[in-house]
């Protein structure tokens, strides 16, 4: 019998579990503390539970923690970790230190259904949704976990396509019984799935980043097939219903591709699309991936594009490029690992 993973269970779920085993209700908070505060890897380490109750738990449960199976380290300090999911599948989490900040980029799916032209993960196709436990494990089992200041759900997969498990993971990150982080420390990135976007906006206070990449619908459709079902204009209209003027931040991710989406026309259309919306744009340098005929812009071209947007009222930053020497693009390390397994 496959045992149930404790990691990734919310406090309500832990209450249901201990109740089913005839354990005291307060045991749920004790277990949560062992999982998310003390980060134990074995039920026997939960020493304030009686031996009898630990044995009951061990009969049907395990902690469910799993260390990374591989890592690649960049000269700039960035580390890409590989976690095994089931038989022959892998996901990536990327640790990015930056002076007094340390960010972890977390995955939510094995592969992805969105198939964005510029994304290596999409080339894998879709294999599985991660459980809340597998999402949280990327944090819990991170060697540098005690240095983390921020988490971004920008790794492999579309988080809103796995919304139930993602919302549970976000609850654990931000609830007092879990990590107790401020929602300001957590950002979710999405192509903009409307139904999931509404739930995310109404059920959490975490930051939101929307993958935009072109303000022109036909061109965005070529880069991001999801545009056919989830129009960026409809996404922006939906977001106008929410208040992003206070602590919660709304940003739009925009990879600049040379000769594709970097013209003055694109800059003008971006200003028009986002007019009146309290947001920022993050310009991102393109990391080349095999078999894709897109090229990144120069630093000067990115600066010119940024300066136009900023001068027209859209606060814009250029995200520093990190980890270029370690398969920086999402999905490249896991793809290499799967191909290696197939050869062997």
């Amino acid at each position: 019998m496959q045992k149930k993973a404790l990691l990734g269970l919310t406090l309500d779920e832990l209450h249901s579990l201990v109740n089913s085993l005839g354990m005291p209700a307060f045991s749920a908070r004790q277990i949560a503390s062992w999982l998310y505060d003390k980060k134990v890897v074995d039920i026997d380490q939960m020493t304030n539970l009686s031996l009898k109750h630990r044995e009951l738990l061990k009969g049907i449960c395990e902690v469910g923690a799993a260390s990374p199976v591989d890592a690649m380290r960049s000269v700039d300090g960035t580390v890409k970790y590989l976690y095994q999911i089931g038989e022959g599948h892998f996901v990536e989490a990327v640790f990015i230190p930056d002076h007094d900040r340390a960010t972890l980029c977390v995955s939510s799916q094995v592969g992805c259904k969105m198939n964005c032209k510029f994304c290596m993960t999409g080339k894998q196709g879709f294999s599985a949704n991660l459980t809340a436990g597998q999402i949280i494990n990327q944090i819990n089992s991170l060697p540098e976990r005690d240095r983390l200041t921020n988490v971004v759900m920008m790794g492999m997969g579309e988080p809103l396509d796995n919304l139930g498990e993602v919302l549970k993971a976000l609850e654990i990150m931000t609830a007092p019984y879990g990590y107790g982080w401020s929602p300001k420390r957590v950002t979710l990135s999405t192509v903009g799935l409307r139904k999931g976007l509404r739930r995310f906006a109404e059920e959490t206070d975490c930051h939101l980043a929307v993958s935009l990449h072109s303000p022109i619908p036909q061109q965005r459709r070529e880069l991001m097939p999801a545009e056919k079902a989830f129009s960026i204009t409809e996404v922006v209209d939906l977001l106008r219903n929410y208040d992003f003027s206070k602590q919660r931040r709304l940003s739009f991710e925009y990879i600049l591709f040379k000769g594709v989406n970097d013209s003055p026309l694109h800059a003008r259309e971006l200003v028009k699309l986002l007019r009146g919306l309290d947001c920022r744009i993050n310009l991102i340098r393109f990391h080349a991936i095999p078999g894709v005929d897109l090229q990144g812009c120069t630093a000067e071209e990115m600066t010119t594009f940024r300066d136009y947007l900023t001068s027209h009222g859209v606060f814009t930053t250029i995200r520093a490029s990190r980890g270029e020497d370690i398969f920086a693009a999402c999905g490249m390390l896991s793809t290499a690992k799967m191909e290696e397994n197939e050869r062997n």
Side-chain angles (χ1 to χ4, degrees):
M1 180 186 75
Q2 185 171 4
K3 293 188 176 183
K4 182 182 185 69
L6 293 173
L7 200 62
L9 295 185
T10 65
L11 187 59
D12 285 346
E13 291 172 324
L14 288 171
H15 274 299
S16 296
L17 174 64
V18 300
N19 181 62
S20 72
L21 293 174
M23 296 169 61
F26 63 78
S27 302
R29 284 196 177 273
Q30 290 177 317
I31 295 169
S33 176
W34 287 111
L35 292 172
Y36 305 124
D37 180 24
K38 301 177 181 69
K39 302 180 179 67
V40 300
V41 297
D42 193 285
I43 290 171
D44 281 328
Q45 296 174 286
M46 300 180 181
T47 51
N48 61 355
L49 301 181
S50 71
L51 180 59
K52 173 187 173 183
H53 289 151
R54 276 180 270 159
E55 292 301 319
L56 278 174
L57 270 180
K58 285 162 58 178
I60 61 169
C61 298
E62 60 185 1
V63 169
S67 298
V69 296
D70 201 357
M72 297 188 72
R73 299 177 184 277
S74 169
V75 294
D76 65 18
T78 299
V79 189
K80 175 168 279 194
Y81 289 103
L82 199 66
Y83 291 89
Q84 184 160 356
I85 306 296
E87 190 65 36
H89 294 300
F90 301 89
V91 296
E92 301 164 16
V94 184
F95 175 73
I96 309 167
D98 186 15
H99 302 292
D100 59 344
R101 288 171 59 93
T103 301
L104 184 68
C105 184
V106 172
S107 294
S108 58
Q109 294 180 313
V110 181
C112 185
K113 300 174 189 174
M114 300 301 111
N115 197 26
C116 297
K117 181 178 181 180
F118 47 83
C119 177
M120 193 68 188
T121 302
K123 312 305 175 202
Q124 295 180 6
F126 172 76
S127 296
N129 284 323
L130 298 189
T131 65
Q134 290 166 334
I135 295 169
I136 288 294
N137 181 64
Q138 295 169 62
I139 302 169
N140 251 44
S141 297
L142 184 79
E144 299 89 352
R145 66 191 179 200
D146 294 331
R147 294 172 55 191
L148 285 183
T149 61
N150 298 83
V151 165
V152 292
M153 300 209 68
M154 297 181 181
M156 296 172 63
E158 164 53 57
L160 297 190
D161 190 40
N162 184 20
L163 186 59
E165 296 301 304
V166 165
L167 286 177
K168 286 204 300 181
L170 294 178
E171 177 183 328
I172 291 164
M173 291 179 208
T174 57
Y177 72 80
Y179 298 150
W181 293 346
S182 164
K184 293 187 295 182
R185 296 175 62 178
V186 184
T187 301
L188 179 143
S189 176
T190 176
V191 301
L193 308 189
R194 275 196 309 275
K195 184 178 178 182
L197 192 57
R198 188 176 289 109
R199 273 194 67 191
F200 171 81
E202 293 174 358
E203 296 182 25
T204 83
D205 292 315
C206 298
H207 293 324
L208 177 66
V210 177
S211 296
L212 205 166
H213 310 308
S214 177
I216 300 169
Q218 183 174 347
Q219 184 181 57
R220 187 172 187 262
R221 196 176 304 127
E222 293 170 0
L223 292 169
M224 306 171 65
E227 168 71 17
K228 297 173 187 174
F230 312 108
S231 156
I232 190 60
T233 55
E234 292 176 324
V235 169
V236 169
D237 286 344
L238 185 154
L239 292 173
R240 293 187 188 279
N241 296 317
Y242 301 95
D243 184 5
F244 295 97
S245 64
K246 298 182 176 66
Q247 290 189 339
R248 190 178 206 182
R249 189 171 67 233
L250 171 64
S251 57
F252 289 88
E253 309 292 298
Y254 197 94
I255 302 175
L256 273 173
F257 303 111
K258 191 176 188 66
V260 175
N261 64 350
D262 58 342
S263 72
L265 169 65
H266 291 90
R268 291 194 298 271
E269 290 299 314
L270 276 173
V271 172
K272 189 186 304 182
L273 175 68
L274 302 179
R275 184 172 288 125
L277 192 60
D278 202 304
C279 66
R280 66 177 63 193
I281 292 180
N282 292 323
L283 298 182
I284 303 169
R285 189 182 308 281
F286 177 56
H287 290 294
I289 63 173
V292 174
D293 59 346
L294 293 169
Q295 295 181 325
C297 289
T298 65
E300 292 76 16
E301 289 165 337
M302 294 185 76
T303 299
T304 299
F305 201 83
R306 178 202 64 190
D307 291 348
Y308 178 91
L309 294 173
T310 299
S311 68
H312 287 77
V314 181
F315 179 62
T316 305
T317 61
I318 298 174
R319 183 181 296 164
S321 187
R322 302 293 300 273
E324 291 189 67
D325 55 326
I326 57 164
F327 293 144
C330 280
M332 290 189 73
L333 180 55
S334 56
T335 298
K337 189 71 172 179
M338 286 189 289
E339 289 174 350
E340 175 189 324
N341 285 354
E342 287 171 4
R343 288 194 299 271
N344 295 335

